[in-house]
Amino acid sequence: MRRSGFFTKKLNSFLMFSAILCFSYLPSFSNEVEKHEVNHTENADTAAISHASSNTDSSHAEHGEEKFNASELILEHIADSHDWHLWGNTSIHLPILLYTDKGFECFSSGKFNHGHDKVAGKHYTYAIEHEHIEIVGENGEVNEEATKSMIDISITKNVMSMFISMVLLLLIFTSVASSYKKREGKAPKGFQSLIEPIIIFVRDDIAKPNLGYKYARFMPFLLTIFFFIWINNMIGLVPFFPGGANLTGNIAFTVVMGVITFFVTNINGNKSYWKHIFLPDVPWWLYPIMIPVEIIGVLSKPFALIVRLFANITAGHIIVLSLICLIFIFKTIMIAPVSVGFVLFMDVLEMLVAFLQAFIFTMLTALFIGTAVAEPHGDH
Amino acid sequence: MDIVTPSLGLVFWTSISFLLLLFLLGKFAWKPIMKALDDRERSIEDALSAAEKAKDELARLNNESELLLKEARAERDLILKEAKQLRDNTIADAKGLAQVEANKMIEKAKVEIDNQKNAALAEVKNQVATLSIDIAEKVLRKQLEDKSKQENLVADLLKEVKLS
Protein backbone atom coordinates (compact mmCIF):
# COMPACT_ATOMS: atom_id res chain seq x y z
CA MET A 1 0.00 0.00 0.00
CA ARG A 2 2.76 2.38 1.00
CA ARG A 3 4.83 1.47 -2.03
CA SER A 4 1.99 1.89 -4.44
CA GLY A 5 1.15 5.23 -2.86
CA PHE A 6 4.67 6.42 -3.31
CA PHE A 7 4.70 5.15 -6.85
CA THR A 8 1.47 6.91 -7.65
CA LYS A 9 2.82 10.13 -6.26
CA LYS A 10 5.94 9.89 -8.35
CA LEU A 11 4.01 8.93 -11.42
CA ASN A 12 1.57 11.74 -10.82
CA SER A 13 4.33 14.26 -10.47
CA PHE A 14 6.10 13.00 -13.54
CA LEU A 15 2.97 13.02 -15.65
CA MET A 16 2.04 16.41 -14.35
CA PHE A 17 5.33 17.86 -15.39
CA SER A 18 5.22 16.28 -18.81
CA ALA A 19 1.72 17.59 -19.21
CA ILE A 20 2.88 21.06 -18.25
CA LEU A 21 5.59 20.97 -20.85
CA CYS A 22 3.14 19.91 -23.50
CA PHE A 23 0.69 22.54 -22.36
CA SER A 24 3.13 25.32 -22.58
CA TYR A 25 4.12 24.44 -26.09
CA LEU A 26 1.36 22.52 -27.78
CA PRO A 27 -1.99 23.93 -26.80
CA SER A 28 -3.63 22.21 -29.76
CA PHE A 29 -2.68 18.80 -28.45
CA SER A 30 -3.62 19.60 -24.92
CA ASN A 31 -6.81 17.62 -24.95
CA GLU A 32 -5.09 14.50 -26.12
CA VAL A 33 -2.37 14.84 -23.56
CA GLU A 34 -4.87 15.30 -20.82
CA LYS A 35 -6.81 12.21 -21.78
CA HIS A 36 -3.62 10.28 -22.04
CA GLU A 37 -2.56 11.35 -18.65
CA VAL A 38 -5.84 10.58 -17.04
CA ASN A 39 -5.70 7.12 -18.55
CA HIS A 40 -2.35 6.57 -16.97
CA THR A 41 -3.52 7.80 -13.67
CA GLU A 42 -6.38 5.40 -13.92
CA ASN A 43 -4.07 2.52 -14.72
CA ALA A 44 -1.85 3.30 -11.83
CA ASP A 45 -4.74 3.68 -9.50
CA THR A 46 -7.36 1.50 -11.09
CA ALA A 47 -8.97 0.39 -7.90
CA ALA A 48 -9.41 3.86 -6.55
CA ILE A 49 -10.81 5.39 -9.74
CA SER A 50 -13.23 2.64 -10.59
CA HIS A 51 -14.42 2.77 -7.05
CA ALA A 52 -14.83 6.49 -7.41
CA SER A 53 -16.81 6.34 -10.62
CA SER A 54 -19.22 3.80 -9.26
CA ASN A 55 -19.72 5.90 -6.20
CA THR A 56 -19.94 9.31 -7.83
CA ASP A 57 -23.08 8.27 -9.66
CA SER A 58 -24.87 7.96 -6.38
CA SER A 59 -23.30 11.14 -5.06
CA HIS A 60 -24.40 12.88 -8.23
CA ALA A 61 -27.91 11.76 -7.58
CA GLU A 62 -27.64 13.11 -4.08
CA HIS A 63 -26.40 16.43 -5.40
CA GLY A 64 -29.37 16.67 -7.70
CA GLU A 65 -31.71 16.56 -4.78
CA GLU A 66 -29.70 19.06 -2.78
CA LYS A 67 -30.60 22.69 -2.97
CA PHE A 68 -28.04 24.66 -4.92
CA ASN A 69 -25.79 26.50 -2.50
CA ALA A 70 -23.83 29.22 -4.28
CA SER A 71 -21.69 30.40 -1.39
CA GLU A 72 -20.61 26.86 -0.57
CA LEU A 73 -19.68 26.23 -4.19
CA ILE A 74 -17.74 29.47 -4.47
CA LEU A 75 -15.82 28.94 -1.26
CA GLU A 76 -15.04 25.41 -2.35
CA HIS A 77 -13.70 26.69 -5.68
CA ILE A 78 -11.45 29.34 -4.23
CA ALA A 79 -10.13 27.00 -1.54
CA ASP A 80 -7.27 24.57 -1.89
CA SER A 81 -7.96 20.95 -2.76
CA HIS A 82 -6.27 17.57 -2.58
CA ASP A 83 -7.65 16.54 -5.99
CA TRP A 84 -7.36 18.41 -9.23
CA HIS A 85 -10.76 18.18 -10.79
CA LEU A 86 -10.58 18.00 -14.60
CA TRP A 87 -14.10 17.34 -15.85
CA GLY A 88 -17.10 15.21 -14.99
CA ASN A 89 -15.93 12.47 -12.70
CA THR A 90 -12.27 12.58 -13.67
CA SER A 91 -9.74 14.28 -11.51
CA ILE A 92 -6.03 13.99 -10.86
CA HIS A 93 -5.28 12.51 -7.47
CA LEU A 94 -2.48 14.48 -5.93
CA PRO A 95 -0.11 12.95 -3.41
CA ILE A 96 -0.80 13.41 0.27
CA LEU A 97 2.16 14.01 2.55
CA LEU A 98 1.56 14.02 6.27
CA TYR A 99 3.99 14.67 9.07
CA THR A 100 2.51 13.04 12.16
CA ASP A 101 3.99 12.65 15.62
CA LYS A 102 4.94 9.11 14.64
CA GLY A 103 6.58 9.92 11.34
CA PHE A 104 5.88 10.57 7.66
CA GLU A 105 2.88 9.33 5.73
CA CYS A 106 2.59 9.40 1.99
CA PHE A 107 -0.26 8.12 -0.18
CA SER A 108 -2.47 9.13 -3.06
CA SER A 109 -5.48 11.30 -2.36
CA GLY A 110 -7.44 8.94 -4.62
CA LYS A 111 -7.62 6.53 -1.74
CA PHE A 112 -9.97 8.85 0.10
CA ASN A 113 -12.40 8.22 -2.73
CA HIS A 114 -13.70 11.82 -2.61
CA GLY A 115 -14.05 11.66 1.14
CA HIS A 116 -16.07 8.46 1.23
CA ASP A 117 -13.33 6.13 2.46
CA LYS A 118 -10.94 6.12 5.34
CA VAL A 119 -7.30 5.40 4.61
CA ALA A 120 -5.23 3.18 6.88
CA GLY A 121 -1.70 4.54 6.77
CA LYS A 122 1.53 3.42 8.36
CA HIS A 123 0.82 5.02 11.70
CA TYR A 124 -2.84 6.06 11.81
CA THR A 125 -6.09 5.86 9.94
CA TYR A 126 -7.03 9.06 8.09
CA ALA A 127 -10.26 10.59 6.92
CA ILE A 128 -10.85 13.73 4.89
CA GLU A 129 -13.57 16.23 5.74
CA HIS A 130 -13.91 19.34 3.55
CA GLU A 131 -10.32 19.02 2.34
CA HIS A 132 -9.18 18.82 5.93
CA ILE A 133 -7.37 15.60 6.83
CA GLU A 134 -8.10 14.13 10.23
CA ILE A 135 -6.73 11.20 12.16
CA VAL A 136 -9.56 8.87 13.14
CA GLY A 137 -9.81 5.87 15.39
CA GLU A 138 -11.28 2.45 14.64
CA ASN A 139 -14.86 3.58 14.98
CA GLY A 140 -14.47 6.77 12.97
CA GLU A 141 -14.16 9.13 15.93
CA VAL A 142 -11.65 11.96 15.39
CA ASN A 143 -8.41 11.78 17.35
CA GLU A 144 -8.20 15.50 18.12
CA GLU A 145 -4.81 15.40 19.82
CA ALA A 146 -3.01 13.55 17.03
CA THR A 147 -4.77 15.65 14.37
CA LYS A 148 -3.58 18.84 16.00
CA SER A 149 0.04 17.73 16.07
CA MET A 150 -0.10 16.52 12.46
CA ILE A 151 1.18 18.78 9.69
CA ASP A 152 -0.34 18.39 6.25
CA ILE A 153 2.31 19.16 3.64
CA SER A 154 0.48 17.48 0.78
CA ILE A 155 1.09 18.46 -2.81
CA THR A 156 -2.28 20.13 -3.14
CA LYS A 157 -3.79 21.75 -6.20
CA ASN A 158 -2.23 25.09 -5.27
CA VAL A 159 1.19 23.56 -4.69
CA MET A 160 0.96 21.73 -8.00
CA SER A 161 -0.08 24.92 -9.73
CA MET A 162 2.87 26.67 -8.14
CA PHE A 163 5.21 23.98 -9.42
CA ILE A 164 3.75 24.42 -12.90
CA SER A 165 4.36 28.15 -12.70
CA MET A 166 7.92 27.54 -11.51
CA VAL A 167 8.65 25.24 -14.42
CA LEU A 168 7.14 27.77 -16.80
CA LEU A 169 9.17 30.60 -15.31
CA LEU A 170 12.37 28.61 -15.43
CA LEU A 171 11.74 27.58 -19.03
CA ILE A 172 10.85 31.08 -20.13
CA PHE A 173 13.67 32.90 -18.43
CA THR A 174 16.47 30.44 -19.03
CA SER A 175 15.56 30.43 -22.71
CA VAL A 176 15.49 34.22 -22.74
CA ALA A 177 18.81 34.32 -20.91
CA SER A 178 20.32 31.92 -23.43
CA SER A 179 19.11 34.05 -26.32
CA TYR A 180 20.87 36.99 -24.66
CA LYS A 181 24.04 34.95 -24.62
CA LYS A 182 23.59 33.80 -28.18
CA ARG A 183 22.83 37.23 -29.55
CA GLU A 184 25.23 39.21 -27.44
CA GLY A 185 25.06 42.95 -27.95
CA LYS A 186 22.37 42.66 -30.61
CA ALA A 187 18.78 43.87 -30.61
CA PRO A 188 16.27 41.53 -28.90
CA LYS A 189 14.33 39.15 -31.08
CA GLY A 190 11.22 37.00 -30.72
CA PHE A 191 10.25 36.03 -27.19
CA GLN A 192 13.19 37.97 -25.88
CA SER A 193 11.69 41.22 -27.14
CA LEU A 194 8.41 40.41 -25.38
CA ILE A 195 10.11 39.87 -22.03
CA GLU A 196 12.73 42.59 -22.24
CA PRO A 197 10.41 45.60 -21.94
CA ILE A 198 8.84 44.06 -18.84
CA ILE A 199 12.23 43.48 -17.24
CA ILE A 200 13.23 47.04 -18.13
CA PHE A 201 9.92 48.27 -16.76
CA VAL A 202 10.65 46.56 -13.44
CA ARG A 203 14.15 47.99 -13.43
CA ASP A 204 13.47 51.55 -14.58
CA ASP A 205 10.00 52.18 -13.18
CA ILE A 206 10.02 50.08 -10.03
CA ALA A 207 13.55 49.51 -8.81
CA LYS A 208 15.44 52.65 -9.83
CA PRO A 209 12.99 55.32 -8.59
CA ASN A 210 12.65 53.62 -5.21
CA LEU A 211 16.10 52.22 -4.59
CA GLY A 212 18.35 54.68 -6.37
CA TYR A 213 21.83 53.54 -7.21
CA LYS A 214 21.50 50.52 -4.92
CA TYR A 215 18.92 48.94 -7.21
CA ALA A 216 21.16 46.30 -8.77
CA ARG A 217 21.42 44.24 -5.59
CA PHE A 218 17.64 43.85 -5.29
CA MET A 219 16.81 43.31 -8.95
CA PRO A 220 16.79 39.48 -8.78
CA PHE A 221 14.44 39.58 -5.80
CA LEU A 222 12.09 42.14 -7.33
CA LEU A 223 12.02 40.42 -10.72
CA THR A 224 11.34 37.04 -9.14
CA ILE A 225 8.53 38.44 -6.99
CA PHE A 226 7.00 40.28 -9.93
CA PHE A 227 7.01 37.41 -12.39
CA PHE A 228 6.12 34.78 -9.80
CA ILE A 229 3.03 36.70 -8.67
CA TRP A 230 2.07 37.71 -12.19
CA ILE A 231 2.28 34.27 -13.73
CA ASN A 232 0.37 32.74 -10.84
CA ASN A 233 -2.30 35.43 -11.12
CA MET A 234 -2.62 34.63 -14.81
CA ILE A 235 -2.65 30.85 -14.33
CA GLY A 236 -5.35 31.35 -11.70
CA LEU A 237 -7.56 33.00 -14.31
CA VAL A 238 -7.50 29.98 -16.65
CA PRO A 239 -10.69 28.11 -15.76
CA PHE A 240 -9.51 24.61 -16.69
CA PHE A 241 -6.43 22.46 -16.17
CA PRO A 242 -3.59 23.39 -15.77
CA GLY A 243 -5.07 26.62 -14.45
CA GLY A 244 -7.88 27.10 -12.03
CA ALA A 245 -5.95 26.97 -8.79
CA ASN A 246 -6.43 30.09 -6.74
CA LEU A 247 -2.84 30.27 -5.53
CA THR A 248 -2.26 34.02 -5.29
CA GLY A 249 -5.71 34.36 -3.73
CA ASN A 250 -4.66 31.99 -0.97
CA ILE A 251 -3.66 33.64 2.28
CA ALA A 252 -0.82 31.14 2.83
CA PHE A 253 0.89 32.17 -0.38
CA THR A 254 0.55 35.90 0.24
CA VAL A 255 1.69 35.46 3.85
CA VAL A 256 4.90 33.84 2.66
CA MET A 257 5.47 36.61 0.12
CA GLY A 258 4.79 39.29 2.71
CA VAL A 259 7.03 37.67 5.31
CA ILE A 260 9.87 37.34 2.81
CA THR A 261 9.47 41.01 1.95
CA PHE A 262 9.48 41.82 5.65
CA PHE A 263 12.73 39.95 6.17
CA VAL A 264 14.41 41.38 3.10
CA THR A 265 13.41 44.89 4.16
CA ASN A 266 14.53 44.62 7.76
CA ILE A 267 17.70 42.64 7.16
CA ASN A 268 18.81 45.33 4.74
CA GLY A 269 17.70 48.17 7.02
CA ASN A 270 20.59 50.54 7.72
CA LYS A 271 21.44 52.64 10.75
CA SER A 272 19.23 55.58 9.89
CA TYR A 273 16.27 53.23 9.31
CA TRP A 274 16.59 51.71 12.77
CA LYS A 275 17.30 55.09 14.33
CA HIS A 276 14.11 56.39 12.75
CA ILE A 277 12.20 53.61 14.47
CA PHE A 278 13.80 53.51 17.91
CA LEU A 279 15.19 57.05 18.28
CA PRO A 280 12.83 59.21 16.22
CA ASP A 281 13.39 62.95 15.98
CA VAL A 282 10.77 63.88 18.58
CA PRO A 283 10.96 65.08 22.19
CA TRP A 284 11.92 62.16 24.44
CA TRP A 285 8.62 62.12 26.28
CA LEU A 286 6.86 61.21 23.01
CA TYR A 287 8.91 58.00 22.72
CA PRO A 288 6.31 55.81 24.49
CA ILE A 289 3.88 56.73 21.71
CA MET A 290 6.22 57.03 18.78
CA ILE A 291 8.16 53.78 19.17
CA PRO A 292 5.10 51.52 19.24
CA VAL A 293 3.64 53.44 16.30
CA GLU A 294 6.83 52.95 14.33
CA ILE A 295 6.94 49.25 15.18
CA ILE A 296 3.32 48.86 14.11
CA GLY A 297 4.27 50.63 10.90
CA VAL A 298 7.05 48.15 10.24
CA LEU A 299 4.69 45.23 10.72
CA SER A 300 1.72 46.73 8.95
CA LYS A 301 3.62 47.29 5.71
CA PRO A 302 3.99 43.59 4.83
CA PHE A 303 0.58 42.93 6.33
CA ALA A 304 -0.96 45.37 3.87
CA LEU A 305 0.83 43.59 1.04
CA ILE A 306 -0.46 40.22 2.22
CA VAL A 307 -4.06 41.32 2.52
CA ARG A 308 -4.09 43.40 -0.65
CA LEU A 309 -2.96 40.59 -2.93
CA PHE A 310 -5.13 37.98 -1.21
CA ALA A 311 -8.25 40.15 -1.24
CA ASN A 312 -7.88 41.38 -4.81
CA ILE A 313 -7.36 37.99 -6.37
CA THR A 314 -9.93 36.21 -4.22
CA ALA A 315 -12.48 38.94 -4.90
CA GLY A 316 -11.97 38.58 -8.62
CA HIS A 317 -12.48 34.83 -8.43
CA ILE A 318 -15.57 35.24 -6.28
CA ILE A 319 -17.13 37.72 -8.72
CA VAL A 320 -16.52 35.45 -11.71
CA LEU A 321 -17.87 32.41 -9.87
CA SER A 322 -20.91 34.37 -8.65
CA LEU A 323 -21.73 35.42 -12.18
CA ILE A 324 -21.54 31.80 -13.30
CA CYS A 325 -23.67 30.76 -10.33
CA LEU A 326 -26.41 33.13 -11.50
CA ILE A 327 -27.30 30.58 -14.17
CA PHE A 328 -27.88 27.92 -11.52
CA ILE A 329 -29.60 30.24 -9.09
CA PHE A 330 -32.13 31.35 -11.70
CA LYS A 331 -32.26 27.80 -13.10
CA THR A 332 -32.57 29.09 -16.65
CA ILE A 333 -30.32 29.07 -19.66
CA MET A 334 -31.69 32.49 -20.64
CA ILE A 335 -29.49 34.21 -18.10
CA ALA A 336 -26.40 32.52 -19.53
CA PRO A 337 -25.57 35.18 -22.18
CA VAL A 338 -25.72 37.87 -19.51
CA SER A 339 -23.53 35.81 -17.22
CA VAL A 340 -21.04 34.97 -19.91
CA GLY A 341 -20.90 38.58 -21.04
CA PHE A 342 -20.19 39.80 -17.54
CA VAL A 343 -17.72 36.97 -16.95
CA LEU A 344 -15.88 37.94 -20.12
CA PHE A 345 -15.74 41.52 -18.95
CA MET A 346 -14.56 40.45 -15.50
CA ASP A 347 -11.92 38.14 -16.95
CA VAL A 348 -10.47 40.94 -19.03
CA LEU A 349 -10.54 43.17 -15.98
CA GLU A 350 -8.93 40.44 -13.92
CA MET A 351 -6.12 40.19 -16.43
CA LEU A 352 -5.43 43.84 -15.78
CA VAL A 353 -5.71 43.23 -12.05
CA ALA A 354 -3.33 40.27 -12.34
CA PHE A 355 -0.68 42.57 -13.76
CA LEU A 356 -1.58 45.47 -11.52
CA GLN A 357 -1.37 43.46 -8.32
CA ALA A 358 1.98 41.97 -9.29
CA PHE A 359 3.14 45.50 -10.11
CA ILE A 360 1.82 47.00 -6.88
CA PHE A 361 3.30 44.23 -4.77
CA THR A 362 6.69 44.67 -6.39
CA MET A 363 6.44 48.46 -6.32
CA LEU A 364 5.64 48.56 -2.61
CA THR A 365 8.31 45.98 -1.86
CA ALA A 366 10.82 48.19 -3.66
CA LEU A 367 9.49 51.22 -1.78
CA PHE A 368 9.85 49.50 1.61
CA ILE A 369 13.34 48.30 0.82
CA GLY A 370 14.09 51.78 -0.49
CA THR A 371 13.13 53.42 2.80
CA ALA A 372 15.19 50.84 4.68
CA VAL A 373 18.36 51.40 2.67
CA ALA A 374 18.00 55.14 2.04
CA GLU A 375 20.85 57.39 3.12
CA PRO A 376 19.93 59.90 5.83
CA HIS A 377 19.17 63.33 4.40
CA GLY A 378 19.10 65.37 7.59
CA ASP A 379 15.99 67.26 6.48
CA HIS A 380 13.45 65.57 8.73
CA MET B 1 -12.80 31.46 8.76
CA ASP B 2 -11.11 28.83 6.69
CA ILE B 3 -10.08 31.03 3.82
CA VAL B 4 -8.10 33.46 5.97
CA THR B 5 -6.26 30.72 7.88
CA PRO B 6 -2.98 30.00 6.17
CA SER B 7 -2.43 26.27 5.81
CA LEU B 8 1.01 25.17 6.93
CA GLY B 9 1.54 22.86 3.96
CA LEU B 10 1.13 25.64 1.43
CA VAL B 11 3.26 27.99 3.53
CA PHE B 12 5.96 25.34 3.59
CA TRP B 13 5.88 24.63 -0.14
CA THR B 14 5.58 28.30 -1.10
CA SER B 15 8.63 29.20 0.97
CA ILE B 16 10.68 26.40 -0.52
CA SER B 17 9.46 27.11 -4.03
CA PHE B 18 10.03 30.82 -3.85
CA LEU B 19 13.52 30.54 -2.40
CA LEU B 20 14.43 27.86 -4.93
CA LEU B 21 13.00 29.95 -7.74
CA LEU B 22 14.84 33.02 -6.49
CA PHE B 23 18.07 31.07 -6.44
CA LEU B 24 17.63 29.37 -9.80
CA LEU B 25 16.33 32.39 -11.67
CA GLY B 26 18.91 34.62 -10.01
CA LYS B 27 21.69 32.35 -11.11
CA PHE B 28 20.52 31.26 -14.54
CA ALA B 29 18.26 34.06 -15.71
CA TRP B 30 18.49 37.42 -13.97
CA LYS B 31 22.24 37.55 -13.76
CA PRO B 32 22.93 36.95 -17.47
CA ILE B 33 19.91 39.00 -18.54
CA MET B 34 20.74 42.02 -16.40
CA LYS B 35 24.36 41.80 -17.42
CA ALA B 36 23.44 41.60 -21.11
CA LEU B 37 21.06 44.55 -20.75
CA ASP B 38 23.64 46.65 -18.93
CA ASP B 39 26.32 45.74 -21.44
CA ARG B 40 24.10 46.59 -24.34
CA GLU B 41 23.01 49.89 -22.82
CA ARG B 42 26.60 50.80 -22.11
CA SER B 43 27.67 49.88 -25.64
CA ILE B 44 24.84 51.95 -27.11
CA GLU B 45 25.79 54.88 -24.92
CA ASP B 46 29.43 54.48 -25.90
CA ALA B 47 28.53 54.28 -29.55
CA LEU B 48 26.40 57.40 -29.28
CA SER B 49 29.07 59.39 -27.49
CA ALA B 50 31.65 58.13 -29.98
CA ALA B 51 29.44 59.28 -32.84
CA GLU B 52 29.03 62.66 -31.15
CA LYS B 53 32.77 62.90 -30.71
CA ALA B 54 33.35 61.91 -34.32
CA LYS B 55 30.88 64.57 -35.41
CA ASP B 56 32.71 67.18 -33.36
CA GLU B 57 36.00 65.99 -34.72
CA LEU B 58 34.69 66.19 -38.24
CA ALA B 59 33.37 69.70 -37.66
CA ARG B 60 36.69 70.69 -36.17
CA LEU B 61 38.54 69.22 -39.12
CA ASN B 62 36.21 70.95 -41.54
CA ASN B 63 36.79 74.22 -39.77
CA GLU B 64 40.47 73.67 -39.79
CA SER B 65 40.59 72.83 -43.46
CA GLU B 66 38.48 75.85 -44.26
CA LEU B 67 40.85 78.00 -42.25
CA LEU B 68 43.76 76.43 -44.01
CA LEU B 69 42.17 77.03 -47.34
CA LYS B 70 41.54 80.65 -46.46
CA GLU B 71 45.09 81.03 -45.31
CA ALA B 72 46.37 79.40 -48.45
CA ARG B 73 44.25 81.68 -50.57
CA ALA B 74 45.53 84.72 -48.70
CA GLU B 75 49.06 83.52 -49.11
CA ARG B 76 48.54 82.94 -52.79
CA ASP B 77 47.18 86.44 -53.17
CA LEU B 78 50.11 87.83 -51.27
CA ILE B 79 52.58 85.91 -53.38
CA LEU B 80 50.89 87.03 -56.55
CA LYS B 81 50.91 90.58 -55.34
CA GLU B 82 54.53 90.39 -54.43
CA ALA B 83 55.36 88.84 -57.76
CA LYS B 84 53.53 91.58 -59.56
CA GLN B 85 55.31 94.21 -57.56
CA LEU B 86 58.59 92.54 -58.19
CA ARG B 87 57.88 92.44 -61.88
CA ASP B 88 56.85 96.07 -61.89
CA ASN B 89 59.94 96.99 -59.94
CA THR B 90 62.12 95.03 -62.25
CA ILE B 91 60.60 96.66 -65.26
CA ALA B 92 60.88 100.08 -63.68
CA ASP B 93 64.46 99.44 -62.70
CA ALA B 94 65.25 98.20 -66.16
CA LYS B 95 63.61 101.25 -67.67
CA GLY B 96 65.52 103.53 -65.34
CA LEU B 97 68.74 101.83 -66.08
CA ALA B 98 68.10 102.00 -69.78
CA GLN B 99 67.29 105.67 -69.47
CA VAL B 100 70.44 106.33 -67.48
CA GLU B 101 72.45 104.36 -69.97
CA ALA B 102 70.84 106.18 -72.85
CA ASN B 103 71.41 109.51 -71.16
CA LYS B 104 74.96 108.56 -70.52
CA MET B 105 75.39 107.61 -74.16
CA ILE B 106 73.72 110.76 -75.31
CA GLU B 107 75.97 112.76 -73.01
CA LYS B 108 78.93 110.94 -74.32
CA ALA B 109 77.82 111.55 -77.87
CA LYS B 110 77.23 115.18 -77.08
CA VAL B 111 80.69 115.50 -75.57
CA GLU B 112 82.14 113.70 -78.57
CA ILE B 113 80.23 115.96 -80.94
CA ASP B 114 81.43 119.03 -79.03
CA ASN B 115 84.96 117.77 -79.10
CA GLN B 116 84.74 117.05 -82.77
CA LYS B 117 83.17 120.45 -83.37
CA ASN B 118 85.82 122.20 -81.34
CA ALA B 119 88.51 120.29 -83.10
CA ALA B 120 87.02 121.14 -86.45
CA LEU B 121 86.66 124.78 -85.49
CA ALA B 122 90.26 124.89 -84.31
CA GLU B 123 91.30 123.39 -87.59
CA VAL B 124 89.25 125.89 -89.47
CA LYS B 125 90.73 128.70 -87.35
CA ASN B 126 94.25 127.50 -87.99
CA GLN B 127 93.49 127.16 -91.65
CA VAL B 128 91.98 130.67 -91.74
CA ALA B 129 94.97 132.10 -89.84
CA THR B 130 97.43 130.50 -92.18
CA LEU B 131 95.48 131.61 -95.16
CA SER B 132 95.18 135.12 -93.75
CA ILE B 133 98.89 135.29 -93.07
CA ASP B 134 99.60 133.97 -96.54
CA ILE B 135 97.25 136.49 -98.03
CA ALA B 136 98.65 139.22 -95.87
CA GLU B 137 102.21 138.27 -96.84
CA LYS B 138 101.32 138.26 -100.49
CA VAL B 139 99.54 141.59 -100.15
CA LEU B 140 102.37 143.09 -98.24
CA ARG B 141 104.89 141.78 -100.69
CA LYS B 142 103.01 143.28 -103.54
CA GLN B 143 102.68 146.65 -101.87
CA LEU B 144 106.23 146.87 -100.72
CA GLU B 145 107.81 146.03 -104.04
CA ASP B 146 109.18 149.64 -104.67
CA LYS B 147 111.20 151.83 -102.35
CA SER B 148 109.00 154.82 -102.42
CA LYS B 149 106.03 152.95 -101.18
CA GLN B 150 108.10 151.60 -98.36
CA GLU B 151 109.22 155.05 -97.38
CA ASN B 152 105.65 156.34 -97.46
CA LEU B 153 104.56 153.62 -95.20
CA VAL B 154 107.29 154.26 -92.78
CA ALA B 155 106.46 157.86 -92.87
CA ASP B 156 102.79 157.09 -92.19
CA LEU B 157 103.69 154.86 -89.37
CA LEU B 158 105.88 157.44 -87.85
CA LYS B 159 103.16 159.97 -88.06
CA GLU B 160 100.94 157.70 -86.26
CA VAL B 161 103.43 157.26 -83.52
CA LYS B 162 103.84 161.07 -83.15
CA LEU B 163 100.15 161.47 -82.90
CA SER B 164 99.80 158.96 -80.17
Side-chain angles (χ1 to χ4, degrees), chain A residues 152-155 162-163 166 169 173 177 180 186 188 196 203 220 223-225 228 250-251 253 256-257 260, chain B residues 3-7 9-11 13-15 17-18 21-22 24-25 28-30 33-34 36-38 40-41:
Chain A
D152 178 7
I153 51 165
S154 307
I155 308 294
M162 183 162 61
F163 288 167
M166 277 172 74
L169 283 175
F173 288 105
Y180 271 107
K186 289 187 190 148
E196 188 179 305
R203 189 190 64 183
L223 283 168
T224 310
I225 273 206
F228 193 42
N250 191 299
I251 192 82
F253 177 88
V256 171
M257 288 297 154
I260 288 172
Chain B
I3 91 166
V4 288
T5 318
S7 69
L10 191 53
V11 167
W13 287 114
T14 308
S15 314
S17 303
F18 182 78
L21 196 68
L22 183 61
L24 289 177
L25 283 180
F28 297 112
W30 306 136
I33 290 174
M34 294 311 292
L37 283 177
D38 282 349
R40 199 172 62 207
E41 258 156 40

Side-chain angles (χ1 to χ4, degrees), chain A residues 3-29:
Chain A
R3 272 190 66 85
S4 76
F6 182 68
F7 176 66
T8 316
K9 178 208 141 202
K10 281 206 92 162
L11 189 72
N12 268 344
S13 318
F14 171 72
L15 286 171
M16 287 297 297
F17 279 108
S18 57
I20 299 151
L21 296 187
C22 297
F23 256 91
S24 49
Y25 286 111
L26 302 165
S28 52
F29 295 117

Side-chain angles (χ1 to χ4, degrees), chain A residues 40-59:
Chain A
H40 267 270
T41 322
E42 278 177 342
N43 287 347
D45 217 354
T46 327
I49 279 275
S50 57
H51 213 92
S53 356
S54 63
N55 249 325
T56 37
D57 288 342
S58 57
S59 68

Side-chain angles (χ1 to χ4, degrees), chain A residues 56-68 72 76:
Chain A
T56 37
D57 288 342
S58 57
S59 68
H60 197 69
E62 281 171 26
H63 273 294
E65 286 159 25
E66 268 176 35
K67 201 176 173 301
F68 177 73
E72 197 180 289
E76 193 184 298

